Amino acid sequence: MRLAAPSLAATLAALPPAMAQDMIGHGGPVGALDLGAEVLLSGGFDTRAILWDEATATARNITRFHDGNVTAVALLPERQFVTAGQDGRLAIWDSDGRTPTFSSEAGVSAVASLAVSDDGAFITAGFWDGRVQVLDLDSLRVQDHQAHGDRVTGIGFLPSGDLVTVGGDLRLSRWSRQMEVQARIDLPDLPNGLTITQGRVAVIFADGALRLFSDVGELLPERFLTDRPLVSVAATDTDVAAAAIDGTVWLLDGADLAQRHMFGAESGPIWALALDAEQVFTAGNDGVIRRWSLADGTALGGGAELAMAQDYTDDSRGAEIWQSCAVCHSLTPDDHMRAGPSLHGIFGTPIATQDGYDYSSALREMEIVWTPRTVAELFEFGPEAYTPGSRMPEQRIGDPADRQALVEFLERAAQ
């Protein structure tokens, strides 16, 4: 039997400071990232977006609004952020908000890409049906434009304020703020995304190439990085990061795309990237957001995986059910690196009283005491009914025997 052993606690105690931790909280693949001052925003296939404290790797806010995957995210000025989804909706949030301050109507096509203008005045979304939607943040007016004949795979704003898009119709287009075409060129292969660096457009392709274009569409340096499709890209003014479907990441010079470093981040696709002057963040199928050194590609986020579910198992049915809980919760004391608090010592304690975790105000006002009965009831009725206002995603365990097995496992493992 392997429970929360002293050796594990000793290992965690020897890890680097919290600022070096990876981020664990999504219950499935993560497909969108955006990095700002002190915060990282992520969107997942689990319908959630999480606003992370970048230094401590803890969740500041967890939102659940979209029907289906959160396909794109972006940080906004004034402590706000925007999420977009498979449901075709855009939602604007205050950094600590539990409901959107604005949401668009559900659409017939999913959002594929998202960008915010440099002045923070406009949000643009590219859709699978080739449309571009422009949201004026001052008036909250939404306008639709047919920009491509197929999915808008990448979108971004140039320093001039003009918009650049690439699509499944193998075209790159530049648009004025009024969505009038300023330039349009044919592309040599399927584009899978774009980013802006030094006023130029870096585009990743399914043929494994990263190509740089001027603001009028002139082809500049290009690098054939791999024979596998490139699926994510991000940049600053000095650096570009690109990742492939096999988990390889390249770090390149923003001026000429000269390769600096290459490393394997995962064994599967890297669906999203974000970077600043020191770190690169990667996200893929396992839901873990990992951090790497921009200088040499070495891993910075050691240790987060040590506390995953396999470290708490006695091969029982309850331990098997616990596997899904461990995505958001640890059983180690004071381990709040994930989206939810540690469940160590949960029985006999009032709700929302674990030190070191930022609970929602709704939970802090409740009078529930966690016992085997109340934990079972939480999964019988679901968090939305039993603990309304919680950040916990909706989930139930329909079989009474399974609920009892989970409770009995926690009675053994959470002490």
Side-chain angles (χ1 to χ4, degrees), residues 24-25 52 57 59 304 307-308 326-330 335-340 357:
I24 300 177
W52 301 88
M308 290 301 283
V327 172
C328 294
H329 299 280
S330 169
D335 178 5
H336 303 299
M337 294 186 299
R338 309 185 193 187
Y357 185 79

Side-chain angles (χ1 to χ4, degrees), residues 12-22 54-57 291 300-302 337:
L12 291 173
L15 291 174
M19 66 178 296
Q21 294 296 340
D22 295 330
E54 187 271 326
T56 62
R291 56 177 101 203
L300 300 177
M337 294 186 299

Side-chain angles (χ1 to χ4, degrees), residues 84-250:
Q86 191 176 13
D87 56 4
R89 305 182 79 178
L90 303 181
I92 298 175
W93 308 78
D94 290 331
S95 61
D96 57 354
R98 300 291 176 257
T99 57
T101 60
F102 167 85
S103 61
S104 62
E105 297 294 328
V108 296
S109 178
V111 177
S113 50
L114 192 66
V116 179
S117 62
D118 291 346
D119 59 8
F122 296 92
I123 297 170
T124 57
F127 288 77
W128 276 76
D129 60 7
R131 285 179 301 120
V132 167
Q133 192 172 86
V134 181
L135 171 62
D136 184 323
L137 284 173
D138 183 36
S139 65
L140 296 181
R141 181 186 178 192
V142 175
Q143 292 184 311
D144 280 341
H145 304 272
Q146 193 66 42
H148 289 272
D150 203 335
R151 179 168 64 108
V152 182
T153 58
I155 194 166
F157 281 95
L158 293 166
S160 65
D162 283 359
L163 186 70
V164 178
T165 60
V166 292
D169 55 2
L170 309 189
R171 283 185 166 181
L172 181 153
S173 299
R174 175 174 172 169
W175 309 85
S176 70
R177 280 286 177 91
Q178 293 73 39
M179 291 301 294
E180 298 169 338
V181 177
Q182 305 298 299
R184 179 171 284 159
I185 65 167
D186 293 329
L187 298 172
D189 205 87
L190 177 66
N192 281 335
L194 70 77
T195 189
I196 307 297
T197 179
Q198 300 181 18
R200 299 161 307 161
V201 187
V203 184
I204 53 171
F205 288 85
D207 65 359
L210 175 61
R211 296 180 173 96
L212 199 61
F213 296 88
S214 73
D215 59 359
V216 294
E218 177 187 5
L219 179 61
L220 301 172
E222 61 181 337
R223 295 287 181 266
F224 286 88
L225 301 177
T226 176
D227 59 357
R228 305 292 181 89
L230 297 174
V231 292
S232 58
V233 65
T236 66
D237 280 342
T238 57
D239 303 283
V240 177
I245 201 165
D246 64 355
T248 304
V249 177
W250 290 263

